[in-house]
Amino acid sequence: MTVLETERLTKQFGGLTAVDEVNLNIEQGEGVSLIGPNGAGKSTFINLVTRRLEPTHGEITFQGNSILGLDPHEVVQMGMSKSFQTASIFPELTVKENATIAALAAEHGSFRFNFFRNQNSYPEVEELANEVLESVGLYSERENQADSLDYGNKRRLELGIALAAEPDMLLMDEPTAGMSPDETKSTVELIKRVKQELDLTFLLVEHDMEIVFDISDRIVVLNRGSVIAKGTPDEVQDDPAVQEAYLGGVEE
Amino acid sequence: MSDEPRDATATAAADADAEVTGGLADRWASFRDREISTVLLTVVGVAVFPFLFNNFLDGYTQLATLMLIYGIFAVGFDILLGYTGLLSFGHAVFFGGAAYAAGIFSASVSSSPLLVLLAGTAFAVLLAWIVGFLSLRRGGIYFAILTLTFGQMSFYLAASPLAFLTNGENGFTSVDIGHLLGVIDIHGGVPFPLTMLVDNMLYVFVAVMTVLSVAMANRILHSPYGTVFRAIRENERRAEFVGLDVWRYKLMAFIISAAFAGIAGSLFAIEGNYVPLESLYWTESGRIVIMTVLGGVGSLFGPLFGAGLYLYIENIVSGFPTLGPFWHLILGVVFVVAVVVFPDGIWGGIDYVRDKVAGGEDK
């Protein structure tokens, strides 16, 4: 089953075409990486898919339904979650509260009229929050302020927030950016584990080639807004167009 | 209704006795975290406040009443400013608007205090829905300016085009408040046991409303909304991307804070039997911002203290022999010192001292 599909997706900023007629299919359970040199249009593509930007033309369907015209939170409610490039958390709240917010959105939908109900009357929300914290290994930190976590743990929390929405698909924008080698390694392990456990479909934007080749089932290469290659890691690695554009023609 | 504070005070005392035995700090912590404790603390606070205020701080009951009214306003405003992180510079429109609505309602529909209160609050809520709907389209400074604009617009509307309703610059003078539930004269005295604490029924009425308002605010802040509001304050984009309809929650925060402003505004009209045009002026909006920040944004009780201190300086300190004429300056200095030394306001200062004391005991 196709989870995400874009058809001739295009975004122009004035005279610049940042994303140019991109067709992309992501199947259920597949891990796809989007790579390309700086300015290739990766971030723009992610922003189009998450509905932060309005495409100039083209179509985006998620699980068979068009998501054009929806607000970002509606897309998330449909099952597409996003992990940000920086550790986008709620810094002055506790780790537990961070997870609770995501759990609230997952259990209650985008809006509810319940401002006179005590939060403790929703055990399912608390349960989900605890589950999420356990799965990203932050349960023991739950009473600490999110701010006080080290960077690697902030990113894990961020990933946890994204996972709490119980997404059918997860978009990850450079999940290991700014991490130490150890943190990177444990994050990659984490992603592999949740992918297996949740049968998670993901779209990854990443600069670190080692990670990309390690965890992707398929790779899509963008250059100047267009797809120049797609295929398995091996196919992409050997593609001359990719080597020319991305790897600078130098074989690794 | 007049019995309510007394009964609750007695219960509070009994509760407090029970707490004394063993593990004082722990028991205190668990007591403090319960919803009922917040309500009881407020009951005790408003019950003893006029006595202390009148006898030790040169106060008088009418000012104490006014402090509670602005306290309610500030508690609601803090839900918007402190918890959701939205700075509105036009909340006078809900305070003054509710006061006018309450006054006009009392003069032409019903003089029952409870209905008047309801009418004023309902008006503020409806108005907030419209103003919020339009202002929340923009964030940050644009939101502040838009709310300021709506506030000033209402001031000029009330001053002249709507003068046939509002009595223009003279303020609305025909407020007509009847007896509470048909029997209790709200501007009269209080029956015997209460006389030990307060000297008029109006204070009791406002105090009961204060307790209810604090209880409501506490309930809201401990509901999922409380968490969502703080999430929006901390990281709006993230809140949107966990799948929350941030815009609607912001509108709810705006409406909820306006409802509190509406309660306060209606009480203000009931209290003074008069609605001054200035209650819609932008300085009123500024006052509530200062009160809230002074008291401590992001705390439940802080704004009550902020409102109290502000009005204390404005009304009592201004009457001191030599210092009096400089009360604006004193207020400014207090504000600057509070913000520099205790960025979380008076309540932040109290918290700090309490932590110090508690920490000392542990070691």
Side-chain angles (χ1 to χ4, degrees):
Chain A
M1 188 189 130
T2 305
V3 179
L4 180 75
E5 184 173 15
T6 67
E7 201 180 318
R8 302 186 59 203
L9 190 64
T10 301
K11 177 67 185 178
Q12 292 169 329
F13 295 107
L16 175 82
T17 307
V19 171
D20 193 4
E21 309 257 324
V22 171
N23 297 312
L24 183 75
N25 284 306
I26 298 177
E27 301 296 323
Q28 172 66 41
E30 208 179 16
V32 177
S33 289
L34 191 60
I35 63 172
N38 284 332
K42 304 184 298 287
S43 292
T44 309
F45 181 81
I46 291 280
N47 285 338
L48 288 172
V49 170
T50 54
R51 296 288 309 145
R52 282 188 70 199
L53 288 173
E54 195 63 40
T56 310
H57 62 81
E59 177 66 89
I60 311 167
T61 52
F62 182 65
Q63 296 181 325
N65 303 309
S66 171
I67 59 169
L68 292 183
L70 297 184
D71 284 333
H73 68 85
E74 292 174 311
V75 177
V76 178
Q77 290 291 348
M78 286 173 74
M80 177 162 28
S81 198
K82 182 183 175 185
S83 162
F84 284 78
Q85 195 167 7
T86 52
S88 187
I89 53 175
F90 306 104
E92 282 183 26
L93 307 186
T94 64
V95 170
K96 173 85 180 286
E97 285 171 318
N98 270 267
T100 304
I101 291 155
L104 270 173
E107 295 286 336
H108 289 180
S110 61
F111 183 81
R112 248 201 207 189
F113 222 63
N114 56 355
F115 55 85
F116 268 166
R117 287 288 299 275
N118 194 297
Q119 187 144 332
N120 297 336
S121 57
Y122 299 110
E124 72 281 6
V125 170
E126 176 157 1
E127 212 170 285
L128 176 60
N130 285 337
E131 253 171 51
V132 162
L133 289 180
E134 261 166 26
S135 77
V136 294
L138 288 173
Y139 188 73
S140 57
E141 304 268 3
R142 67 188 180 285
E143 298 300 338
N144 295 337
Q145 190 164 313
D147 237 358
S148 70
L149 297 176
D150 62 39
Y151 188 72
N153 277 340
K154 279 183 189 161
R155 292 302 306 255
R156 294 169 82 87
L157 178 59
E158 221 261 311
L159 201 58
I161 292 173
L163 288 173
E166 296 176 325
D168 299 317
M169 179 172 166
L170 181 63
L171 301 173
M172 287 181 283
D173 199 353
E174 297 194 35
T176 63
M179 281 189 182
S180 70
D182 279 350
E183 288 169 344
T184 303
K185 206 174 146 208
S186 76
T187 304
V188 170
E189 291 306 315
L190 179 65
I191 294 171
K192 280 182 169 173
R193 205 186 74 222
V194 295
K195 178 175 190 293
Q196 207 162 29
E197 280 173 11
L198 304 174
D199 188 26
L200 193 68
T201 312
F202 70 77
L203 176 62
L204 173 76
V205 172
E206 182 58 70
H207 276 301
D208 188 327
M209 283 305 126
E210 220 175 305
I211 297 174
V212 170
F213 288 119
D214 187 13
I215 63 178
S216 319
D217 299 319
R218 212 148 56 80
I219 295 174
V220 176
V221 189
L222 275 185
N223 191 26
R224 294 184 192 162
S226 319
V227 176
I228 57 167
K230 47 177 131 183
T232 63
D234 290 338
E235 287 167 13
V236 167
Q237 209 164 9
D238 296 336
D239 193 306
V242 176
Q243 288 176 3
E244 173 68 31
Y246 192 76
L247 305 171
V250 181
E251 234 170 302
E252 280 187 306
Chain B
M1 193 164 230
S2 59
D3 286 350
E4 205 174 314
R6 186 166 46 95
D7 282 353
T9 313
T11 327
D15 240 57
D17 282 344
E19 300 292 335
V20 174
T21 47
L24 204 67
D26 287 348
R27 276 167 179 269
W28 169 246
S30 76
F31 174 72
R32 198 186 51 201
D33 291 341
R34 292 209 310 270
E35 187 174 17
I36 187 74
S37 352
T38 307
V39 176
L40 291 177
L41 282 176
T42 318
V43 169
V44 173
V46 298
V48 300
F49 174 56
F51 178 80
L52 298 175
F53 185 53
N54 295 351
N55 290 307
F56 302 109
L57 288 167
D58 286 338
Y60 47 96
T61 307
Q62 197 220 341
L63 183 59
T65 312
L66 212 56
M67 285 174 170
L68 292 191
I69 290 174
Y70 275 95
I72 295 173
F73 190 2
V75 165
F77 192 74
D78 191 34
I79 292 177
L80 188 67
L81 177 63
Y83 286 90
T84 320
L86 290 170
L87 175 58
S88 158
F89 245 113
H91 257 49
V93 66
F94 307 119
F95 181 78
Y100 272 107
I104 293 167
F105 182 87
S106 76
S108 46
V109 185
S110 160
S111 65
S112 155
L114 289 176
L115 287 181
V116 168
L117 184 66
L118 201 65
T121 309
F123 179 78
V125 166
L126 283 177
L127 198 61
W129 193 79
I130 298 165
V131 173
F133 189 85
L134 297 170
S135 310
L136 285 167
R137 301 273 155 196
R138 292 282 170 272
I141 190 73
Y142 300 102
F143 169 73
I145 298 292
L146 277 170
T147 50
L148 175 63
T149 312
F150 280 109
Q152 285 301 84
M153 209 152 85
S154 71
F155 174 77
Y156 289 108
L157 275 177
S160 139
L162 295 177
F164 67 97
L165 275 173
T166 62
N167 201 21
E169 287 182 6
N170 297 324
F172 191 77
T173 48
S174 340
V175 180
D176 172 29
I177 301 301
H179 286 188
L180 184 62
L181 305 171
V183 285
I184 304 165
D185 179 6
I186 207 164
H187 286 282
V190 291
F192 163 67
L194 276 176
T195 47
M196 293 194 288
L197 292 169
V198 289
D199 49 23
N200 69 54
M201 192 50 82
L202 188 65
Y203 180 83
V204 177
F205 182 63
V206 171
V208 169
M209 289 307 153
T210 307
V211 172
L212 289 178
S213 299
V214 169
M216 278 195 294
N218 186 53
R219 182 52 87 79
I220 291 166
L221 294 173
H222 285 92
S223 78
Y225 275 51
T227 313
V228 172
F229 287 167
R230 286 183 300 149
I232 292 171
R233 177 191 72 198
E234 292 291 309
N235 192 341
E236 187 175 332
R237 188 157 60 108
R238 208 359 159 173
E240 175 97 31
F241 275 99
V242 299
L244 293 168
D245 193 341
V246 168
W247 193 82
R248 282 178 80 181
Y249 277 108
K250 277 160 78 173
L251 185 60
M252 281 306 291
F254 195 76
I255 292 174
I256 287 169
S257 76
F260 283 89
I263 295 171
S266 311
L267 289 173
F268 183 70
I270 293 170
E271 190 267 337
N273 263 326
Y274 170 65
V275 184
L277 182 60
E278 287 71 39
S279 64
L280 286 170
Y281 201 49
W282 68 269
T283 51
E284 199 69 19
S285 303
R287 249 149 75 109
I288 202 63
V289 177
I290 293 174
M291 285 175 181
T292 308
V293 173
L294 195 58
V297 288
S299 66
L300 178 64
F301 287 115
L304 286 167
F305 287 87
L309 181 60
Y310 185 105
L311 292 174
Y312 186 76
I313 295 172
E314 187 182 69
N315 292 282
I316 304 289
V317 175
S318 65
F320 287 178
T322 39
L323 285 173
F326 301 104
W327 75 267
H328 274 113
L329 184 68
I330 295 168
L331 184 64
V333 170
V334 167
F335 186 72
V336 170
V337 169
V339 169
V340 170
V341 181
F342 298 116
D344 294 324
I346 300 171
W347 194 253
I350 294 174
D351 256 350
Y352 175 80
V353 171
R354 204 174 48 199
D355 284 355
K356 279 273 164 187
V357 172
E361 274 173 3
D362 286 346
K363 282 152 200 165

